[in-house]
Every structure is written in C-alpha cells, then in structure tokens.
Amino acid sequence: MTKTIPDKVAGAGPGYLFTILIALVVSAITATATMALYDQRFAHKVVVMDLKGFVRQQRDRMLSGELDEKQFQKNLDAMEKVLLAVPRNHTVIMKEVVLRNGREIRP
C-alpha cells in the first residue's frame, strides 16, 4: 500500500497577509519594549542640582537662627542621600551650568 500525500488544501493555514500582519505587530512590540528598556536602563540623562542655592539657603537659615548645627548636618545628610540615590546612567551637574530644560533634583 502506498500512501499518497494530499495536495495542499486551499485556506488550510493562515494567509500571507495575516502572517505579515503578525510579524509587523510582533516587531513593533519588540522594538517598543527594547527602546523603553534602553531608555530606562542605559541611556544617559542629565539632571541638575542647585548646590550653590542649597548651601546659600542653609547658611542663611543658620545665620537667622532657624537651624542649629544638628539640623544643618541632617539637611546635608539628606542632600547626600539624594545624590547617592541617583542612578548610574544619570549625570548630575550644577544648575549654574544649565541654561534651561534641566530636570532638577532636590534634597
């Protein structure tokens, strides 16, 4: 007995346009996810800190008597924590250098 392979039945599988549509959708989703991951994890970003203004504000508050030395040290520690919490792909520069459109971080 010989087995015969039936001819391809028309309409048995997905059509050519459907296959292309699936490929385009998968490609778009993959590209979007890849770009989002790259932006979050690897792309370098510049953030701004007004260090000069912070020190000036703390000095003025110390001179006016609003802060004692312990509170001043606490504020400096808070500023340090903010700086240490900045992700590795972020570059922190002083506000005086940036002309505009810099995302500012504050303690």
Side-chain angles (χ1 to χ4, degrees):
M1 287 191 199
T2 60
K3 293 184 179 181
T4 60
I5 300 173
D7 291 335
K8 185 176 179 183
V9 179
Y16 183 70
L17 291 177
F18 182 71
T19 304
I20 290 176
L21 180 66
I22 294 281
L24 286 175
V25 168
V26 170
S27 295
I29 291 171
T30 304
T32 303
T34 302
M35 290 302 292
L37 179 69
Y38 176 79
D39 184 58
Q40 288 293 320
R41 300 285 178 156
F42 303 109
H44 285 279
K45 296 177 174 63
V46 175
V47 292
V48 176
M49 182 170 199
D50 188 11
L51 187 61
K52 197 174 189 180
F54 175 78
V55 170
R56 183 179 27 239
Q57 178 189 27
Q58 297 303 310
R59 182 196 61 188
D60 292 344
R61 290 178 70 191
M62 284 277 291
L63 292 175
S64 69
E66 290 179 42
L67 289 178
D68 60 359
E69 191 172 330
K70 195 175 225 182
Q71 290 171 328
F72 176 71
Q73 188 64 38
K74 182 180 172 185
N75 291 345
L76 285 178
D77 290 340
M79 180 191 64
E80 182 182 20
K81 283 182 184 178
V82 167
L83 284 174
L84 292 176
V86 173
R88 298 183 87 184
N89 64 333
H90 286 63
T91 302
V92 181
I93 59 177
M94 291 179 43
K95 188 175 183 178
E96 291 81 23
V97 177
V98 176
L99 187 58
R100 66 178 181 158
N101 296 339
R103 187 175 65 98
E104 187 172 348
I105 57 173
R106 296 176 188 207

